[in-house]
Amino acid sequence: MKTVVRSFMPDQKWPTTQVLHLLDGQMTLCFRSWGSQDYNQKLIDEVTHYMSSAQADIDVTSPFDFKENLSSLANKARIALLLVHDYFYKVTNKNEFLVGFEALILFRLKKEIAWASVGRFSLQKIQSDYLQTIFEVGSDLDSQILLPAQLLGVEIDVELQVGSVEASETSELLVCSVFEGRLTQLPSLKAEVQFTTTTPKTAYWYVLIKGA
């Protein structure tokens, strides 16, 4: 999977968004840490360990059950984030708040791409001249305050966006975070997809994933 990353933040600032391609390029992990940066590697290690073990059919202990309405791959991405949430809530942030994470896992297997997400991330599929929304941020509060309403490791419960879609070798996906406005696709004859915002003050970050 090839990626193009862009951002623009005129007034509002949020933490740097990390974009990592892991497990031989099958998995893309996007995350932001609100708090100490010292725990970034722990998040990466936890997600990678579970997803690699689950894909290799290694017996991994998990307190979370599979959901019947999700595919096997989507369930694995969901459980990976729940394990991260459980660890940071019970261990790192047990006595005081040290860090909370927005995170998105995208995992491709054959013609399926599955996701699990927490925080201000939206996922859209790029059609010929418009953006098809797959999911948007789960809380309306994220349009009112910069700090996301949902973070991994902070509250006892966390709301996840989870699912999967069929994807071809030519599929293009857009993962984006937007504050105070919207991101829309511009008609273009150029090879690279172009976007615009609804207001000059709109803050955004996005990663365009080609060949998703």
Side-chain angles (χ1 to χ4, degrees):
M1 290 188 286
K2 298 179 180 179
T3 58
V4 176
V5 180
R6 299 282 187 272
S7 65
F8 177 70
M9 298 177 194
D11 299 317
Q12 305 289 348
K13 305 292 183 185
W14 54 59
T16 300
T17 309
Q18 307 290 332
V19 181
L20 303 174
H21 306 294
L22 306 164
L23 304 181
D24 298 324
Q26 286 186 300
M27 181 172 72
T28 299
L29 174 64
C30 307
F31 70 91
R32 297 185 197 97
S33 54
W34 293 80
S36 174
Q37 307 292 307
D38 296 341
Y39 302 98
N40 289 4
Q41 191 59 49
K42 180 63 177 176
L43 178 141
I44 297 167
D45 292 344
E46 288 290 317
V47 170
T48 305
H49 172 72
Y50 178 80
M51 291 301 295
S52 60
S53 299
Q55 282 303 101
D57 291 326
I58 298 173
D59 187 20
V60 263
T61 304
S62 167
F64 307 108
D65 295 328
F66 269 37
K67 287 195 170 184
E68 293 183 359
N69 62 327
L70 298 175
S71 70
S72 174
L73 195 61
N75 266 300
K76 291 171 184 176
R78 169 182 165 269
I79 290 174
L81 285 193
L82 288 175
L83 288 171
V84 168
H85 174 71
D86 194 58
Y87 173 84
F88 281 98
Y89 177 73
K90 292 180 177 178
V91 179
T92 306
N93 294 327
K94 181 179 180 180
N95 297 318
E96 62 177 324
F97 172 79
L98 294 173
V99 67
F101 292 98
E102 296 175 83
L104 167 76
I105 296 172
L106 287 175
F107 200 101
R108 176 173 179 160
L109 182 64
K110 298 178 181 178
K111 292 185 178 181
E112 178 188 5
I113 186 160
W115 69 83
S117 175
V118 173
R120 187 186 278 108
F121 288 113
S122 298
L123 180 63
Q124 297 170 311
K125 189 174 183 180
I126 297 174
Q127 304 294 3
S128 58
D129 56 355
Y130 70 97
L131 297 174
Q132 176 189 352
T133 299
I134 297 174
F135 76 81
E136 291 188 299
V137 177
S139 174
D140 290 338
L141 291 175
D142 286 329
S143 64
Q144 302 170 24
I145 56 174
L146 187 63
L147 182 68
Q150 296 288 324
L151 290 171
L152 292 174
V154 177
E155 303 289 344
I156 188 169
D157 295 316
V158 66
E159 180 183 340
L160 276 68
Q161 303 283 341
V162 187
S164 60
V165 292
E166 185 175 329
S168 68
E169 293 183 358
T170 59
S171 295
E172 291 186 309
L173 296 177
L174 181 74
V175 178
C176 64
S177 300
V178 182
F179 185 67
E180 294 186 336
R182 296 184 65 85
L183 202 63
T184 57
Q185 184 175 345
L186 284 172
S188 176
L189 298 176
K190 298 181 180 179
E192 182 176 335
V193 180
Q194 295 181 315
F195 304 96
T196 187
T197 57
T198 51
T199 74
K201 291 185 177 181
T202 299
Y204 67 83
W205 168 92
Y206 73 77
V207 56
L208 177 63
I209 302 173
K210 301 180 178 182

